[in-house]
Each structure stands twice: as structure tokens, then as C-alpha cells.
Amino acid sequence: MTSSPLLEMNALGIDLPLDGTVRTVVHRADVSIHEGTAVALVGESGSGKSLTARSVLRLLPQGARIHGDLLFAGESVPAMKPERLRAFRASDVAMVFQDPRAHINPARSVGDFLVEGLTTARGVPAAEAAKKVTGILREVGIPDADRRMRQRPHELSGGLLQRVMIAAALAAEPRLLLADEPTTALDVTTQEEVMAIIGEAREARGLAMLFITHDLELAAAVCDRVVVMYAGSTVEEVPAGRLRSGAAHPYTRALLASRPPVGDPHAPLRSIKGWPLSGFEVPEGCAFSERCPRVQDPCHSDTPQPRMAGDSRTACHFPHTHSPEEVGSHA
Ligand SMILES: Nc1ncnc2c1ncn2[C@@H]1O[C@H](COP(=O)(O)OP(=O)(O)OP(=O)(O)O)[C@@H](O)[C@H]1O
Ligand SMILES: [Mg+2]
């Protein structure tokens, strides 16, 4: 791909104040998303997926520091002044979270929440805003929009409320959607419906997406590229269509192996030995070395740097190799 990415993180790091000191929780995140495409960010709990996504909107805990490059359409996000940051949050990038109830005022009506998002942040006149959100609610599968707008959040099921949050995100007409495990709290049928709604909305608008999930297969199904994160670093990036054949990092392979094979949901699950680490716990060398079946001496002392091979990128001293036809010949 020749055009420059819509979102570009190069060696992005995040430091947080923890227990009276400053600790690095994200060491190195390399994530690029081109206009209209979808990138999945996968990895175990605590690996830094949410912080990485939140850094795009600078929605980080008090005292957090970002280092490295974080560019949106070529503009540095960390360098944005408050006024520009407000406009950026109101119109360029929107976020949908795992738990919609934690991100909506329970005392206000759904309609007030949606309309205020447009009137306050974007200066849209109230009547126009109401008409617009009604249309978007219908688009996300809420036909009785007028009734729903009068209700309070607790009167809506989790699935309906997540649709409201997606509607709020879409109303801002963003170019990039950050979806942080948007379906994890929902039952399976509702999960599928919500993913379908996001897919349709993306297609209709040419909307780019960063999709966070624990589920590698879902990641590959709904995204163009899959980025795997471990203990605060992105360790591999592969095109979604070649996730199984092209994954070279032992961690990605282990994640894939820990899932039952497609078509055989009753096969035993294999877990990865040991525990996942958080970014601030990583040892010297490769963070995965303690759990890695391919570990050798250099892994304990040298941090592996990301290297391109074909259209994939892997940070590993001893990656799995593929036959040439598997690796492909993309620029
Ligand atoms: N507000 C905070 N203050 C201190 N540490 C934090 C804060 N938020 C996150 N962390 C720590 O940073 C690390 C990465 O957290 P993050 O929430 O990004 O992980 P994650 O990959 O999204 O995990 P999960 O899959 O459980 O959502 C974790 O060790 C977490 O404990
Ligand atoms: Mg998270």
C-alpha cells in the first residue's frame, strides 16, 4: 500500500505513574491503519491493548506519558493543543467500549445523551441533531427510535445499549472507530448482531477501525490485518487471511493452538504454559521468553526488534519459517 496511513503508531510507548514511581506499561506498539481498513489488536489480558487504543484519543490515566510517534492523518496527536484535541475527539475518531453502562450517564435519557453529543461537541442545532440520531438508531437496528430515546439506560438490554453507543460513535462521522471488545459482555447471538451492525456501518461510510478482542478467529474474520500484542509490545502483524498459515511468532502460534480447530469445537483446548505478563513486569530480553517453546540464549538478553518478512512483521529471534508460497510476495 503506497498512501500514508490514517493512523500511524511507530514505537509508541506509554508510561504510567504506579506505586509512587513511573512504570512503562506499553513498551513498543507499532500499529498502522489505512483509510477504510480494519486492524485487530489481540492479546491476553493486561498486554496493553486498551491503553494503546485509548492513547489515540489521549484518554489515558492522569500523569500518563506517551513516547514515540502517534500520528493521525499525518498530524501528531500528542502535540495537539486542547482546542484541537477537543475537535479531534468530536469528529475524527470515536470509541466504543466493552461496558456501555460505564460510559453513559444513568440519570439522563438515551436521547439526551445522543443529541448532546452532537449539540455540545459539534454545535449541531438540537432539532437537526434529534433527526440525525433517530436515523442512525434505525440504521443500527433500533426501529422504535423515538420510544428508545425517551428511555433511561437501565431500561435497555446490554445489546440495545451497545447499539446506542455505536450510534453515538457514528453520529460524530468519524474516520476511525476504536472498538475495545465491544461484544465481550454480550450473549453470542447479540455479539453477532452487533458485529454485523459495525460491519455494515463501516462499509456504508468507508470507516477505518481498530478492533480489540481476545478472539483471534473473530479478529481475522472482521479485519484486514491482525496485530498481536504481548506484555506491552506488538510482537507480530499478519494479513488476516494468512493468520493460520503466516503466523511466525511462537506466541501467535500458541494463541492459535489454544483454540479448538474450526469445525471441531469439542477438541481439547491447549493452554499456553505460564502466566501472561503486564508491560511493567517484563524481564530483560524477549518478554515471551519464559513461556516460549523455541527459547534460546539470546532471548534472555536481547529484545527482539520487529522485522518485515513478506507482508508480515514479527519481533522474534527464532520465528517459525514458512515456505515461499506461504509467505507470499507482497510489497
Ligand atoms: N489506570 C491505570 N493505572 C495503573 N495501571 C493501569 C491502568 N490502566 C491499565 N493499567 C495497567 O496497564 C496494563 C495494560 O492494561 P490494559 O488495560 O491496556 O490491558 P488490556 O490488554 O486491555 O487487558 P484486558 O484484555 O484485560 O482488557 C495492565 O497491567 C494494567 O494493570
Ligand atoms: Mg482492555
Side-chain angles (χ1 to χ4, degrees), residues 211-232:
F211 177 60
I212 295 181
T213 177
H214 286 97
D215 187 335
L216 268 178
E217 303 290 347
L218 178 63
V222 302
C223 293
D224 302 292
R225 299 183 70 81
V226 177
V227 176
V228 178
M229 193 155 194
Y230 185 77

Side-chain angles (χ1 to χ4, degrees), residues 41-326:
L41 191 56
V42 300
E44 285 162 296
S45 194
S47 55
K49 304 180 297 296
S50 294
L51 287 176
T52 300
R54 297 177 75 108
S55 71
V56 177
L57 284 167
R58 284 176 40 192
L59 288 174
L60 292 173
Q62 187 86 29
R65 280 202 310 248
I66 296 177
H67 40 99
D69 293 336
L70 173 50
L71 305 172
F72 185 85
E75 180 182 5
S76 167
V77 177
M80 285 178 186
K81 301 268 187 293
E83 198 176 326
R84 172 68 191 119
L85 182 62
R86 266 197 301 278
F88 173 70
R89 286 174 173 167
S91 58
D92 289 312
V93 181
M95 188 152 183
V96 178
F97 301 89
Q98 177 175 344
D99 177 9
R101 284 189 210 283
H103 297 272
I104 186 168
N105 183 342
R108 309 289 309 279
S109 73
V110 165
D112 284 349
F113 164 72
L114 288 168
V115 169
E116 271 170 22
L118 287 176
T119 53
T120 312
R122 290 171 64 92
V124 178
E128 195 183 312
K131 195 163 162 229
K132 181 166 181 174
V133 298
T134 308
I136 296 178
L137 283 176
R138 294 211 172 93
E139 186 188 340
V140 299
I142 304 183
D144 47 351
D146 293 333
R147 181 168 74 92
R148 296 300 185 187
M149 300 247 288
R150 289 192 297 275
Q151 291 184 310
R152 303 259 181 275
H154 74 266
E155 295 174 79
L156 271 60
S157 68
L160 269 181
L161 202 57
Q162 194 60 298
R163 288 173 201 229
V164 168
M165 302 314 269
I166 294 166
L170 296 176
E173 295 175 22
R175 294 163 77 186
L176 173 66
L177 178 68
L178 307 170
D180 189 352
E181 305 203 46
T183 63
T184 308
L186 308 176
D187 66 68
V188 176
T189 320
T190 316
Q191 281 180 8
E192 285 172 8
E193 286 166 6
V194 167
M195 285 319 300
I197 286 162
I198 291 176
E200 284 160 21
R202 282 195 52 231
E203 199 167 322
R205 294 169 164 77
L207 180 61
M209 174 168 77
L210 179 66
F211 177 60
I212 295 181
T213 177
H214 286 97
D215 187 335
L216 268 178
E217 303 290 347
L218 178 63
V222 302
C223 293
D224 302 292
R225 299 183 70 81
V226 177
V227 176
V228 178
M229 193 155 194
Y230 185 77
S233 293
T234 51
V235 296
E236 180 148 59
E237 177 177 341
V238 283
R242 293 197 319 101
L243 179 62
R244 283 203 172 269
S245 63
H249 198 289
Y251 178 59
T252 313
R253 294 276 188 125
L255 280 180
L256 285 165
S258 69
R259 287 208 34 132
V262 176
D264 186 5
H266 303 297
L269 279 174
R270 274 190 284 161
S271 62
I272 308 174
K273 70 167 182 170
W275 297 99
L277 299 178
S278 290
F280 59 84
E281 298 170 318
V282 298
E284 217 182 309
C286 173
F288 191 56
S289 58
E290 289 173 9
R291 303 171 77 191
C292 184
R294 294 169 73 84
V295 66
Q296 297 184 41
D297 280 348
C299 309
H300 296 300
S301 51
D302 302 333
T303 306
Q305 300 302 311
R307 275 197 297 263
M308 292 300 297
D311 52 7
S312 302
R313 186 175 52 214
T314 306
C316 175
H317 294 303
F318 304 102
H320 289 267
T321 49
H322 305 277
S323 59
E325 61 272 22
E326 275 182 320

